[in-house]
Structures are given as structure tokens and as C-alpha cells.
């Protein structure tokens, strides 16, 4: 099962339920930096990333301009953000990221390629 944390305020309100889901019911977790930090009640991304390890098979964590961090099979993949000229509206960005990532994953692509699909930055 895949889960997107979707909203830090939702995580704040339902933290225990989300932690229960992540601990044993979710295979793939999508979260941005604010959401994963909220889930583990820390302001430090590295601490939150360490906390999610071992609870899900894949954690796809986005960090805005800092790119993505994918945690899977004991490995950590850091992928730079795709350059863009101007951000107009981020509504739906997480959903689009998840859909591109899952598209690549269901086609047995390597995890860094799944991220490139997620951000529409395919290598030439």
C-alpha cells in the first residue's frame, strides 16, 4: 500500500493513526520535509528520515528546492531538484510526484529514474 501524508496539519491532528499506518501497513510512503518532520515531531529532516527507516519499504521524501531523498533497502538516494524558472502554484505537486514515481516503479525502473519521472526531468 502507498500513502501520501498530504498535509502537515492533518499529520498534526492524526499523528498516532498515521504512525500506526506507517508502522506495518504502508509499503511506500510519500511525504514532504514538513510532513515527515511533523510525523516524528522534530524540526530536523535527518532525524525524521532516520526515524522512518525500517517502517516502510520505500520512503520518497521531497525537500522542495533541495530535491528528493529516497530511502529503500538500507540505501539512500539523493536526487537534485529539476531547475525551473518560476514557481506559479504548487497545488497538486505532491500528487503528481507520487503518480510519476509509481509509474516508474510499476515499470521496474531504478529508484532515481522513478524520481526523474516524478519531476518530469528525464535524462536526454
Amino acid at each position: 500500500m502507498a500513502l501520501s501524508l498530504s498535509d502537515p496539519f492533518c499529520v498534526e491532528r492524526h499523528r498516532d493513526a498515521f504512525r500506526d499506518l506507517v508502522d506495518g501497513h504502508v509499503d511506500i510512503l510519500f511525504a514532504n520535509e514538513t510532513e515527515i518532520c511533523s510525523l516524528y515531531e522534530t524540526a530536523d529532516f535527518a532525524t525524521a528520515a532516520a526515524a522512518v527507516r525500517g517502517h516502510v519499504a520505500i520512503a520518497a521524501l521531497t525537500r522542495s528546492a533541495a530535491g528528493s531523498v529516497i530511502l529503500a533497502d538500507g540505501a539512500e538516494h539523493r536526487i537534485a531538484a529539476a531547475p525551473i524558472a518560476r514557481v506559479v502554484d504548487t497545488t497538486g505537486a505532491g500528487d503528481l510526484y507520487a503518480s510519476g514515481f509509481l509509474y516508474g516503479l510499476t515499470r521496474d525502473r531504478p529508484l532515481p529514474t522513478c524520481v526523474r519521472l516524478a519531476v518530469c526531468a528525464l535524462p536526454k
Side-chain angles (χ1 to χ4, degrees):
M1 174 169 77
L3 173 71
S4 175
L5 291 183
S6 298
D7 179 272
F9 301 110
C10 189
V11 174
E12 287 287 329
R13 286 188 300 272
H14 305 287
R15 183 176 291 112
D16 292 339
F18 277 117
R19 281 195 181 171
D20 180 58
L21 280 172
V22 169
D23 191 21
H25 303 285
V26 171
D27 303 302
I28 304 166
L29 179 68
F30 294 97
N32 67 30
E33 186 168 2
T34 304
E35 294 159 355
I36 198 68
C37 287
S38 177
L39 183 66
Y40 291 106
E41 301 179 270
T42 181
D44 182 61
F45 176 77
T47 300
V52 76
R53 286 184 186 275
H55 292 280
V56 294
I58 299 172
L61 309 175
T62 60
R63 304 189 73 199
S64 192
S68 298
V69 176
I70 308 301
L71 307 172
D73 299 323
E76 180 176 299
H77 306 274
R78 292 186 175 268
I79 297 93
I84 57 169
R86 184 176 73 122
V87 175
V88 176
D89 185 354
T90 60
T91 303
D95 295 330
L96 290 172
Y97 181 97
S99 67
F101 188 92
L102 291 170
Y103 174 87
L105 195 64
T106 59
R107 280 149 183 80
D108 297 319
R109 304 286 193 235
L111 294 175
T113 300
C114 293
V115 172
R116 287 184 195 91
L117 288 165
V119 298
C120 298
L122 295 172
K124 302 209 185 296

